[in-house]
Amino acid sequence: MNDARIVEAILFASDAPLSPGEIARADESLDEDRVEAALASLKAEYDDAGHAFELREVADGVQLMTRPEFAPYLERFDTVPRSSRLSGPALEALAIVAYRQPISRIEVEYVRGVNSTGVIRTLVERELIAGVGRGEGVGRPVLYGTTLKFMEHFGFPSMEHLPRPEELPVILRERAPLAARPEAPDEEGQGDETPALDDEAALAAVLAHADQRPESPE
């Protein structure tokens, strides 16, 4: 059977990105080189024919997805799967983790100026971040980093495709030692008056646009 059709069937049925190596396990005749050739053929075929779907590199793999320009039509249907959108505070905390990982909850709170226990728990439950180690400080706090699901959710082929650090607010680029400070206030701003970051919205802006798209694998 034609390699491209085999690869197409696998991607059509998969609800997650697959690497060429994973696709090659489908048949003894396939190897990574043949899969990559089939992927190139499919991509050219879809682009030349103007199909409503495309092959997209996501999370170190490839996924068959509806083209972004068709998102407004998909949003009218409840039967089209979509990932639930993250809140502003969650996006803000996620941006900090993405650019400063590995990072502890206390360090996230230092940047945000508010208690982040709830949003960190939400991001862990959504499998967008995970514990990747332990810090050296008192109590050896959990250090968090982003996951493959983070890249899949936001459509990043790899972490190298995030905006460059020099394009971000200075506080994300410079990892200064944590200074002694009062306990951070909670999400509603209650508690000690630790000043929040002036440009909170800017921290999450690099992710917020990607969080607006429906989840639309073909």
Side-chain angles (χ1 to χ4, degrees):
M1 186 174 290
N2 183 283
D3 289 352
R5 299 285 78 89
I6 295 173
V7 172
E8 183 179 50
I10 295 166
L11 292 175
F12 186 89
S14 176
D15 60 358
L18 297 173
S19 69
E22 291 171 323
I23 296 172
R25 295 203 304 264
D27 190 82
E28 293 77 6
S29 67
L30 293 177
D31 57 32
E32 290 193 34
D33 290 339
R34 291 182 62 169
V35 170
E36 288 175 354
L39 290 170
S41 175
L42 288 171
K43 184 178 187 305
E45 177 184 334
Y46 298 156
D47 291 345
D48 292 344
H51 284 302
F53 51 88
E54 63 181 343
L55 284 178
R56 191 179 304 172
E57 294 183 15
V58 179
D60 294 330
V62 180
Q63 190 167 19
L64 194 60
M65 302 186 74
T66 304
R67 295 184 188 273
E69 57 265 34
F70 292 94
Y73 306 105
L74 302 181
E75 290 172 351
R76 295 173 177 267
F77 294 88
D78 294 335
T79 54
V80 175
R82 56 173 55 82
S83 55
S84 57
R85 295 173 180 173
L86 295 168
S87 67
L91 283 168
E92 180 184 305
L94 185 55
I96 295 167
V97 173
Y99 286 102
R100 297 186 62 179
Q101 58 186 309
I103 185 171
S104 69
R105 175 183 59 81
I106 295 296
E107 289 177 294
V108 173
E109 292 176 348
Y110 178 69
V111 176
R112 296 188 63 225
V114 293
N115 186 293
S116 301
T117 301
V119 292
I120 292 294
R121 184 187 304 115
T122 295
L123 295 174
V124 170
E125 290 174 350
R126 295 278 297 274
E127 300 180 359
L128 298 173
I129 66 172
V132 295
R134 290 278 183 174
E136 297 298 329
V138 177
R140 293 182 58 85
V142 175
L143 300 178
Y144 295 98
T146 54
T147 64
L148 281 176
K149 192 164 184 178
F150 164 81
M151 291 190 290
E152 180 182 341
H153 181 90
F154 291 103
F156 294 124
S158 69
M159 292 300 292
E160 285 71 28
H161 287 76
L162 269 69
R164 295 187 302 274
E166 57 267 25
E167 299 171 350
L168 300 171
V170 173
I171 195 165
L172 282 179
R173 303 201 303 266
E174 299 177 355
R175 189 174 184 132
L178 232 90
R181 66 184 184 88
E183 183 179 353
D186 59 24
E187 291 289 352
E188 287 70 38
Q190 304 299 316
D192 295 314
E193 294 184 0
T194 304
L197 198 61
D198 290 336
D199 54 354
E200 289 179 344
L203 296 179
V206 293
L207 302 178
H209 73 284
D211 199 45
Q212 301 305 306
R213 61 180 176 81
E215 183 181 324
S216 56
E218 185 62 26

